[in-house]
């Protein structure tokens, strides 16, 4: 793995919404995010982040210090779009991950069949509060690290956590 200096460390901020939380791209941790050959970082807090090209997609974040009821569940949705010059996604399934305490969920999706150039939430993943350590923190991520093919043209607009 490359030097940590090449990876973007997000500010880990989030906003409370009427039904949950919203996380903008400046809050996310992005592998290769500090290298302009691979990512275009947002200038402003609510701007999207653009993937130029990578063969290792790893975008993660968390909501911490939350105080929620014992049996709460959240739908976690990445709002994304594929730009007109997007490439490499046809044979590159993307995985959504969510972790809360000892409960971890994974969901596979194919971006080329799920989204187009419009902002969309292709699929969500539902996480219920687990037991053990870190029950005051929900982790989430978007990954494609297995096929090693170059891919680009993805724009991440936000991550929404909605209580269900």
């Amino acid at each position: 793995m490359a030097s940590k200096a090449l990876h973007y460390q997000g500010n880990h901020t989030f906003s409370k919404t009427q039904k949950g939380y919203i996380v903008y791209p400046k809050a996310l941790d992005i592998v290769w995010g500090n290298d302009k050959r691979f990512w275009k970082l947002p200038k402003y807090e609510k701007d999207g982040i653009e993937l130029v090209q990578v063969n290792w997609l790893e975008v993660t974040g968390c909501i911490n210090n939350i105080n929620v009821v014992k049996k709460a569940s959240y739908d976690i949705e990445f709002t994304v779009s594929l730009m007109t010059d997007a490439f490499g996604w046809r044979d590159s399934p993307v995985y959504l991950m969510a972790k809360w305490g000892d409960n971890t969920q994974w969901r596979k999706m194919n971006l080329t069949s799920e989204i187009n150039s419009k902002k969309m939430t292709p699929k969500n993943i539902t996480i219920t509060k687990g037991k053990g350590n870190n029950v005051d923190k929900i982790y989430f991520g978007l990954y494609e690290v297995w096929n090693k093919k170059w891919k680009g043209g993805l724009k991440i607009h936000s991550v929404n956590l909605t209580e269900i």
Side-chain angles (χ1 to χ4, degrees), residues 108-127:
K108 179 180 174 181
M109 66 180 177
N110 183 333
L111 291 181
T112 56
S113 64
E114 300 274 343
I115 65 176
N116 54 34
S117 61
K118 298 177 182 169
K119 278 189 197 180
M120 295 192 71
T121 304
K123 284 190 179 176
N124 64 335
I125 190 167
T126 301
I127 191 73

Side-chain angles (χ1 to χ4, degrees), residues 23-28 40-50 119 155-158:
V23 179
Y24 292 104
K26 280 185 96 75
L28 301 172
K40 290 181 186 174
L41 294 176
K43 185 174 182 180
Y44 300 105
E45 187 69 26
K46 294 183 179 181
D47 287 351
I49 187 165
E50 294 180 24
K119 278 189 197 180
K155 188 167 188 175
I156 301 172
H157 303 278
S158 65

